[in-house]
């Protein structure tokens, strides 16, 4: 599943391609791909262009020129955007739900094998409502201060991995980066939040930003279905220290990396380096 670094990589790639191009045609191949009535979706986009592409945690936000409406898009498990300037041979597929054609004949495909992802046209006001309800503080933004992070941890009784992956607490971190952040912070993922010392919280805070920023620099991590809009895999996979490395020696101490189930999710850690 794409996490913050993967969605940011997609955003940066797409932004260079789709902005300020007039949309000449909108085809909805699968109703499940959009959360609007098909006719409304087409009507709002036809003849318009995208004026900006932003990201709120794992959501892409497409601004529409001269409109108070935007498209929110969540990729969920397997959603992907593919930009086709006439050379694409693999797409569209039978899983392509939306095809947007620009005036220069380039196309943008929204493709989703498992169909949990979506595009949704909403007003700015609806967008704010959705984001404030759904999303907690977001790393790599101005609001992600140590103070705000400490506040998020207050009165939480869960373990730190659960908290890191709770989108309503901290937005953008999933299974892969939660494991990596815990490793870099030398904290076991099953540690209960109230047991964390001040210096451990500071470590976590710093490593959240460092791990995510490094992953963005490497264009994200690739497992199974994620490819970026250029059809390329992310390069962060070989930088992972614990995720997907069970039974392999820890890079720091040679202890074999453990994998356990924590709240139903595969969780990786070094039992020697992490306390
Ligand atoms: Zn170790």
């Amino acid at each position: 599943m794409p996490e913050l670094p993967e969605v940011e990589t997609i955003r940066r790639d797409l932004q260079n391609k789709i902005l300020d191009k007039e949309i000449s045609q909108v085809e909805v191949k699968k109703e499940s791909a959009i959360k609007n009535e098909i006719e409304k979706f087409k009507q709002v986009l036809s003849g318009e262009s995208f004026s900006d592409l932003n990201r709120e945690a794992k959501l892409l936000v497409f601004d529409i020129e001269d409109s108070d409406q935007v498209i929110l898009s969540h990729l969920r498990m397997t959603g992907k955007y593919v930009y086709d300037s006439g050379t694409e041979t693999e797409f569209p597929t039978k899983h392509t739900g939306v095809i947007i054609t620009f005036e220069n004949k380039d196309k943008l495909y929204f493709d989703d094998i498992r169909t949990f992802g979506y595009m949704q046209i909403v007003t700015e006001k609806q967008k704010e409502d959705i984001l404030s309800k759904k999303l907690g503080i977001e790393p790599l933004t101005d609001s992600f201060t140590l103070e705000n992070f400490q506040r998020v941890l207050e009165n939480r009784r869960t373990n730190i991995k659960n908290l890191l992956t709770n989108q309503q607490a901290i937005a953008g971190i999933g299974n892969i980066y939660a494991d990596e952040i815990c490793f870099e912070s030398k904290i076991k993922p099953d540690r209960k939040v109230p047991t964390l010392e001040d210096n451990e919280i500071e470590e976590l805070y710093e490593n959240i930003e460092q791990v995510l920023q490094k992953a963005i620099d490497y264009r994200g991590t690739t497992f199974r279905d994620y490819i970026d809009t250029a059809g390329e895999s992310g390069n962060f996979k070989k930088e992972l220290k614990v995720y997907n490395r069970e039974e392999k020696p820890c890079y720091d101490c040679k202890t074999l990396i453990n994998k356990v189930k924590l709240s139903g999710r595969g969780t990786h850690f070094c039992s020697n380096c992490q306390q």
Side-chain angles (χ1 to χ4, degrees), residues 183 249-257 269-274:
F183 176 78
C250 171
Y251 291 127
D252 288 352
C253 76
K254 306 280 191 285
T255 302
L256 298 184
I257 299 298
F269 64 96
C270 172
S271 59
N272 183 44
C273 290
Q274 293 171 256

Side-chain angles (χ1 to χ4, degrees), residues 225-248:
D225 300 304
Y226 165 74
I227 51 169
D228 65 32
T229 59
E232 291 170 13
S233 308
N235 298 316
F236 195 69
K237 192 172 177 178
K238 54 185 181 294
E239 301 298 314
L240 296 171
K241 307 268 178 70
V242 286
Y243 187 85
N244 221 29
R245 293 198 66 246
E246 60 267 25
E247 301 301 318
K248 296 195 173 122

Side-chain angles (χ1 to χ4, degrees), residues 83-101:
Y83 190 84
D84 180 6
S85 46
T87 54
E88 183 55 53
T89 52
E90 221 180 300
F91 293 88
T93 71
K94 62 179 179 185
H95 304 295
T96 300
V98 178
I99 302 176
I100 293 173
T101 305

Side-chain angles (χ1 to χ4, degrees), residues 8-189:
E8 176 62 15
T9 300
I10 291 165
R11 187 195 71 78
R12 290 180 182 186
D13 287 352
L14 272 186
Q15 191 181 36
N16 288 329
K17 292 167 181 156
I18 64 168
L19 297 191
D20 305 321
K21 287 179 179 157
E22 193 180 313
I23 296 168
S24 57
Q25 198 186 5
V26 179
E27 295 162 80
V28 178
K29 299 284 192 187
K30 286 182 190 294
E31 239 174 295
S32 61
I34 60 169
K35 280 192 172 185
N36 303 97
E37 286 171 23
I38 292 177
E39 281 317 308
K40 185 200 168 186
F41 186 84
K42 288 182 174 180
Q43 190 199 332
V44 170
L45 290 180
S46 296
E48 303 297 334
S49 60
F50 296 120
S51 53
D52 206 356
L53 179 58
N54 294 298
R55 180 184 55 76
E56 299 279 352
K58 297 197 264 186
L59 279 166
L60 289 167
V61 184
F62 296 77
D63 285 354
I64 302 166
E65 186 75 43
D66 297 327
S67 171
D68 74 332
Q69 302 188 90
V70 300
I71 299 177
L72 289 185
S73 181
H74 203 307
L75 302 169
R76 301 281 175 162
M77 309 286 287
T78 55
K80 47 172 101 64
Y81 282 97
V82 176
Y83 190 84
D84 180 6
S85 46
T87 54
E88 183 55 53
T89 52
E90 221 180 300
F91 293 88
T93 71
K94 62 179 179 185
H95 304 295
T96 300
V98 178
I99 302 176
I100 293 173
T101 305
F102 298 99
E103 56 184 339
N104 65 352
K105 306 281 190 254
D106 285 3
K107 291 176 194 290
L108 178 66
Y109 307 121
F110 178 59
D111 191 274
D112 191 2
I113 292 173
R114 296 187 61 183
T115 71
F116 294 115
Y118 63 84
M119 301 176 83
Q120 179 182 22
I121 292 176
V122 296
T123 63
E124 282 286 346
K125 171 87 177 60
Q126 288 170 318
K127 180 191 90 174
E128 295 305 325
D129 288 349
I130 291 170
L131 296 180
S132 64
K133 266 189 219 122
K134 277 193 178 166
L135 299 177
I137 54 167
E138 185 181 331
L140 307 176
T141 65
D142 291 343
S143 62
F144 193 73
T145 60
L146 177 59
E147 224 177 31
N148 284 340
F149 179 60
Q150 286 163 330
R151 205 164 294 147
V152 167
L153 299 185
E154 275 169 19
N155 303 318
R156 304 273 182 171
R157 305 157 77 95
T158 184
N159 62 59
I160 187 61
K161 166 117 184 219
N162 257 340
L163 185 87
L164 289 174
T165 53
N166 175 350
Q167 302 303 303
Q168 280 150 323
I170 302 165
I173 302 172
N175 214 26
I176 298 173
Y177 299 113
D179 286 2
E180 294 298 310
I181 289 162
C182 287
F183 176 78
E184 297 292 352
S185 307
K186 303 190 188 307
I187 293 168
K188 281 207 175 85

